[in-house]
Amino acid sequence: MTRTGPDGEDGRVTDDDTNRSTGTFPLTGHIQRLLQRIRAHDRRRPLVWDGLLTTSWVLFAALDVSSGGWRTVAVDPDVPAPWVLTMSVAFSAPLLWRRSHPLAVLLFMAPFSLVNVWTGAVIQAAFLQEIVVFNIALRQPMRTLARSGAIVLAPLVIGAGHFPDDWDRLFVPHLYAFAFAALVGIVVRTRKEYTEALVDRANRLERERDQQAQLAAAAERTRIAREMHDIIGHNLSVITGLADGGAYAAPKSPERAAQALDAIGTTSRQALAELRRLLGVLRDQPDRAERTPQPTLDDIDALLDGVRSAGLPVRLHRRGTPPPVPPTAGRQLTVYRVVQEGLTNTLKHAGPDQSLAAEVTLTYRPTELDVLITDNGNPRPIAGPGGTGIAGMRERASLYDGTLEAGRPATTGWQVRLRLPLEDSPS
């Protein structure tokens, strides 16, 4: 791989450059990769590694016996060679099962450890017990480690009693070796468990991040679907009402039909503009997306004017005193969309009636805003499955701990009531 330097010359990216960028040294990186390969091979073929290790120690023990090297440290160098060979094999061959049955391996070695010290041979192969101790400290509970200590040290105490003058040579080195092997095993085990805990925590955080992203995406899809339903449903209902009125007025009053067509064009352009803004937020980058204020309570009058132009007389009543601090933009948008959806449903489902009318009442109370939308029409049965208008209104209300009720107040008509807590109300 090459790169271009500041003066335009091409140069190769060396290992030193890569290591400086990652913060690791070449030797450390090679050692880590080598250890990872060894561990991976050991996990795939544990018997191969155990067999090689056991065979190596058996050969070393046999070499020590054949060369007579054990006599240089023995208390009694006249111990028969067959005994020494038997003890050497007994200390090395069981290492093949040191991971699967470590405590049983130590129990098997214990009698030979006693004979080793009692006879004064003191062969170095006896220190192979500490390999088993290391595996116990690495993988077994602490009480098992304590039992292994008793199994290793008890024969030494008994055997050392046969040579009281050589106590420091027979017992103390094995005591230090046991403590060292146990400590190293505990340290490695602690580091391994800590690393596994970090990896597990990272995996859990990654899963939680993915879940949060999925939940956020689902919530955003629901919000966009709700906004598009309100925008398209309301404007199409207004356009339908204008078209029906224009068709009815065309034979008798062409100027009224022209006014209806002009209103249809205006409403269509408004709907297209709102849809472009909504889709532009999804398509464009956040810093380039067009941002316009969302509808508020002050825009309800303009909303009702559009409904009136579609042929539905609507009266607006405001009662109570608005709070000094206006509700948040999200709460005002909720009120606007509920009024919009309620009047849209009246246009779509109330049925043709010359006396059809609707009322919108906004009542400010100390702790909540009450919105009531009523009409005097006769709801027509809906063909096919029901829509999502009422469900969408309830979802909007629930976002701010509000409630929404919809149904017939009496034998005729339809009403929708929204109760929305104000900003300073308890949840």
Side-chain angles (χ1 to χ4, degrees):
M1 182 174 62
T2 62
R3 63 182 179 187
T4 304
D7 55 355
E9 296 181 357
D10 291 338
R12 295 191 176 275
V13 179
T14 63
D15 292 339
D16 293 338
D17 298 325
T18 304
N19 293 322
R20 278 195 294 268
S21 64
T22 58
T24 61
F25 296 99
L27 181 59
T28 304
H30 290 315
I31 293 176
Q32 290 178 351
R33 287 191 292 271
L34 178 61
L35 291 177
Q36 290 175 357
R37 291 175 182 174
I38 293 175
R39 293 192 189 101
H41 184 273
D42 184 36
R43 284 193 296 267
R44 292 193 303 267
R45 299 178 179 86
L47 289 178
V48 174
W49 177 256
D50 291 344
L52 290 174
L53 179 67
T54 303
T55 303
S56 300
W57 285 115
V58 170
L59 292 177
F60 288 149
L63 181 62
D64 184 48
V65 175
S66 62
S67 63
W70 63 274
R71 291 188 173 89
T72 59
V73 294
V75 176
D76 182 6
D78 297 327
V79 178
W83 286 23
V84 177
L85 179 61
T86 302
M87 288 186 291
S88 298
V89 174
F91 283 126
S92 56
L95 292 178
L96 185 63
W97 299 278
R98 74 189 189 283
R99 287 196 283 193
S100 58
H101 303 87
L103 205 59
V105 170
L106 283 182
L107 288 173
F108 176 81
M109 294 180 177
F112 298 95
S113 177
L114 176 59
V115 173
N116 178 45
V117 180
W118 188 268
T119 59
V122 197
I123 59 175
Q124 301 301 305
F127 285 98
L128 295 178
Q129 296 176 97
E130 312 313 332
I131 297 179
V132 186
V133 172
F134 171 80
N135 282 269
I136 291 177
L138 184 63
R139 298 182 178 87
Q140 300 295 323
M142 295 303 296
R143 60 176 179 272
T144 306
L145 181 61
R147 293 172 185 170
S148 67
I151 296 173
V152 171
L153 299 178
L156 298 175
V157 174
I158 297 173
H162 193 235
F163 299 96
D165 296 336
D166 296 303
W167 175 270
D168 55 340
R169 294 175 55 192
L170 300 177
F171 179 77
V172 176
H174 286 275
L175 176 62
Y176 287 161
F178 174 84
F180 178 77
L183 182 61
V184 172
I186 292 173
V187 170
V188 174
R189 176 177 184 167
T190 303
R191 183 179 180 277
K192 180 181 178 182
E193 291 176 350
Y194 178 71
T195 303
E196 291 176 350
L198 290 179
V199 172
D200 179 69
R201 183 172 181 270
N203 292 334
R204 285 190 289 105
L205 289 176
E206 185 176 0
R207 289 194 297 269
E208 291 175 3
R209 181 198 63 189
D210 294 341
Q211 292 173 356
Q212 292 295 332
Q214 293 174 1
L215 291 175
E220 186 66 11
R221 285 196 297 268
T222 302
R223 186 190 68 83
I224 293 171
R226 190 166 53 235
E227 290 292 330
M228 293 187 68
H229 171 272
D230 292 343
I231 293 172
I232 296 175
H234 170 74
N235 287 285
L236 286 181
S237 297
V238 172
I239 290 172
T240 302
L242 290 170
D244 292 342
Y248 177 78
K252 300 179 181 179
S253 179
E255 65 277 4
R256 294 291 300 274
Q259 293 176 0
L261 291 174
D262 183 65
I264 289 174
T266 302
T267 304
S268 300
R269 285 190 291 271
Q270 292 175 352
L272 287 175
E274 291 189 40
L275 282 177
R276 288 195 187 100
R277 284 195 294 269
L278 180 61
L279 297 177
V281 172
L282 302 177
R283 182 175 57 251
D284 297 336
Q285 296 296 330
D287 54 346
R288 295 188 303 169
E290 181 182 358
R291 294 180 174 89
T292 57
Q294 292 280 15
T296 63
L297 294 177
D298 297 332
D299 298 311
I300 289 183
D301 291 320
L303 172 67
L304 300 187
D305 290 339
V307 175
R308 293 188 187 104
S309 66
L312 175 63
V314 184
R315 289 186 295 175
L316 174 64
H317 307 283
R318 287 186 172 91
R319 299 173 181 172
T321 303
V325 179
T328 59
R331 295 170 187 266
Q332 296 190 52
L333 177 62
T334 297
V335 174
Y336 181 92
R337 293 304 187 195
V338 167
V339 173
Q340 183 185 58
E341 181 65 21
L343 297 177
T344 300
N345 289 339
T346 299
L347 287 171
K348 291 194 297 185
H349 306 302
D353 191 345
Q354 296 296 327
S355 62
L356 179 64
E359 292 187 0
V360 177
T361 305
L362 303 180
T363 304
Y364 290 96
R365 295 193 173 91
T367 60
E368 68 177 11
L369 174 60
D370 188 295
V371 183
L372 180 64
I373 305 104
T374 59
D375 63 61
N376 59 355
N378 295 312
R380 292 173 294 181
I382 301 175
T388 60
I390 295 178
M393 289 190 288
R394 286 201 174 98
E395 289 175 0
R396 288 185 180 275
S398 65
L399 290 176
Y400 299 97
D401 295 335
T403 59
L404 186 133
E405 301 172 357
R408 289 189 179 185
T411 56
T412 59
W414 188 267
Q415 78 171 18
V416 176
R417 180 181 292 274
L418 169 67
R419 293 185 176 90
L420 199 65
L422 296 177
E423 184 67 18
D424 56 352
S425 301
S427 175

